[in-house]
């Protein structure tokens, strides 16, 4: 049982402490408490305008999107799978694109600055940004690779703004082309990738590597993409290969599900990737400069010359780490 007099004395001390402060310190104390609560709960508005190292949106796209569906246990293997995989994994690596071609992903809200964005390529059809005020956070930048890719997610407006070869010159934004996709759509449509896949679709995100779990299909690029041929869910192709072992855009790869990952000496990052490849697989979405590469989110908070602490802790060593402990020859092309 508590002592009422002791409690009264305690409250008296607390009141004396509070009212003895100068009013300006009342404000400072209140702001400090609010900041502490906001940090603990993730409530700061600016968090929605950072990359997913600090952003909070969950898996994009509808639950029945090709990106969010697992591969059926009885899925058939393409008759040409062995030849296609032999060519795609000929150097025993699948390169993790974490920096030069890493995808910068930004969040936007109603307070984010809006811009008129013009497309510099006019012969592909109407610019997807025409007539729209496009949200782009202050400090946003495309990656340094030739694709100049950048993604802005506006959850309040249910839209993903996807830029190909984005440029900011004197505060004026342009893009060679891109796409605007619904956040709850299929994840396919537009021209931000060669296959029509959303540029957000399938990207390995920083938060997923940090928690060691990816609950969606991944995406890969290859230097051996079939000309004129593509498979659903792809809506087009930018391929130019006529080799019999070429990979069609839209093809779905998976890591042999009979492979026991527990028998392999994998880094935490490799294990996370391998598990996702067995369960969800990866779609071929674009031409790349290597036999096979995989899209990762760019850590825009990483210092120059670094891939970022989350990736480093997961065992990734540098941009284009080949994740060589995964037996890539055990990939399969789903029919």
């Amino acid at each position: 049982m508590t002592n009422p007099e002791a409690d009264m004395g305690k409250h008296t001390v607390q009141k004396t402490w509070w009212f003895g402060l100068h009013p300006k310190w009342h404000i400072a104390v209140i702001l400090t408490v609010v900041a502490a609560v906001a940090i603990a709960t993730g409530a700061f508005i600016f968090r929605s305008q950072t990359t997913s190292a600090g952003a909070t949106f969950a898996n994009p796209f509808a639950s029945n999107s090709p990106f969010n569906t697992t591969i059926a246990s009885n899925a058939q293997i393409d008759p040409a799978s062995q030849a296609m995989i032999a060519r795609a994994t000929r150097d025993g690596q699948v390169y993790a694109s974490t920096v030069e071609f890493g995808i910068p992903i930004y969040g936007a809200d109603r307070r984010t600055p809006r811009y008129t964005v013009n497309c510099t390529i006019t012969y592909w059809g109407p610019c997807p940004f025409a007539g729209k005020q496009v949200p782009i956070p202050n400090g946003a930048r495309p990656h340094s690779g030739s694709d100049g890719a950048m993604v802005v997610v506006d959850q309040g407006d249910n839209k993903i703004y996807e830029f190909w070869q984005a440029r900011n010159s004197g505060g004026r934004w342009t893009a060679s082309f891109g796409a605007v996709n619904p956040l709850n759509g299929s994840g396919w449509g537009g021209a931000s990738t060669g296959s029509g896949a959303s540029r957000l679709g399938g990207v390995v995100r920083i938060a997923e590597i940090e928690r060691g779990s990816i609950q969606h299909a991944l995406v890969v690029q290859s230097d051996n993409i079939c000309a004129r041929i593509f498979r659903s869910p792809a809506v087009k192709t930018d391929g130019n290969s006529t080799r019999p072992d070429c990979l069609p855009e839209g093809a779905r790869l998976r890591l042999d599900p009979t492979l026991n990952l527990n028998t392999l000496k994998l880094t935490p990052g490799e294990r996370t990737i391998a598990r996702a490849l067995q369960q969800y697989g990866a779609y071929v979405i674009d031409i790349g400069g290597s036999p096979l590469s995989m899209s990762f989110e760019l850590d825009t908070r990483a210092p120059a010359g670094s891939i970022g602490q989350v990736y480093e802790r997961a065992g990734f060593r540098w941009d284009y780490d080949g994740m060589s402990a995964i037996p890539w020859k055990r990939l399969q092309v789903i029919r």
Side-chain angles (χ1 to χ4, degrees), residues 70-90:
T70 57
I71 298 174
S73 58
N74 62 347
Q76 296 184 341
I77 306 304
D78 192 292
S81 174
Q82 187 173 357
M84 288 189 283
I85 295 303
R87 179 66 183 174
T89 62
R90 60 189 182 272

Side-chain angles (χ1 to χ4, degrees), residues 27-290:
I27 296 173
V29 170
I30 291 169
L31 289 177
T32 300
V33 172
V34 170
V37 172
I39 290 170
T41 61
F44 269 129
I45 296 296
F46 70 75
R47 285 174 64 87
S48 68
Q49 295 194 20
T50 62
T51 64
S52 63
T56 56
F57 69 89
N59 269 9
F61 314 124
S63 59
N64 62 350
S65 161
F67 284 114
N68 292 329
T69 56
T70 57
I71 298 174
S73 58
N74 62 347
Q76 296 184 341
I77 306 304
D78 192 292
S81 174
Q82 187 173 357
M84 288 189 283
I85 295 303
R87 179 66 183 174
T89 62
R90 60 189 182 272
D91 59 359
Q93 315 278 316
V94 172
Y95 299 96
S97 297
T98 52
V99 180
E100 185 180 11
F101 285 88
I103 308 301
I105 303 170
Y106 297 96
D109 58 31
R110 63 184 181 181
R111 303 198 304 180
T112 303
R114 308 265 161 171
Y115 298 86
T116 297
V117 179
N118 295 316
C119 294
T120 58
I121 293 178
T122 58
Y123 52 86
W124 285 357
C127 178
F129 310 118
K132 296 177 174 63
Q133 287 297 292
V134 180
I136 303 177
N138 293 327
R141 286 184 293 180
H143 68 208
S144 60
S146 57
D147 283 349
M150 186 173 75
V151 171
V152 177
V153 179
D154 189 340
Q155 295 183 79
D157 204 23
N158 191 42
K159 286 185 173 59
I160 310 165
Y161 296 88
E162 305 167 10
F163 305 84
W164 180 61
Q165 295 183 340
R167 305 174 191 85
N168 182 356
S169 178
R172 296 173 63 89
W173 282 94
T174 62
S176 290
F177 218 74
V180 181
N181 279 307
L183 188 58
N184 62 351
S186 71
W188 296 81
S192 56
T193 64
S195 63
S198 165
R199 185 59 279 182
L200 179 63
V203 175
V204 177
R205 294 181 60 195
I206 297 166
E208 294 169 335
I209 291 297
E210 188 166 34
R211 70 171 178 255
S213 175
I214 300 172
Q215 302 296 319
H216 59 77
L218 312 182
V219 288
V220 293
Q221 298 76 217
S222 175
D223 63 0
N224 188 34
I225 297 293
C226 301
R228 299 181 298 278
I229 300 170
F230 60 91
R231 298 179 181 179
S232 178
V235 297
K236 60 189 182 72
T237 181
D238 61 347
N240 54 21
S241 175
T242 56
R243 293 177 56 95
D245 55 10
C246 65
L247 283 168
E249 288 183 353
R252 195 175 195 178
L253 315 183
R254 77 170 175 192
L255 188 62
D256 185 348
T258 67
L259 178 64
N260 185 353
L261 301 183
N262 293 327
T263 65
L264 304 177
K265 292 183 178 180
L266 303 172
T267 66
E270 288 171 332
R271 192 170 301 279
T272 300
I273 296 298
R275 239 187 337 251
L277 286 171
Q278 286 186 318
Q279 187 175 10
Y280 290 91
Y283 287 102
V284 180
I285 65 160
D286 227 333
I287 287 181
S290 60

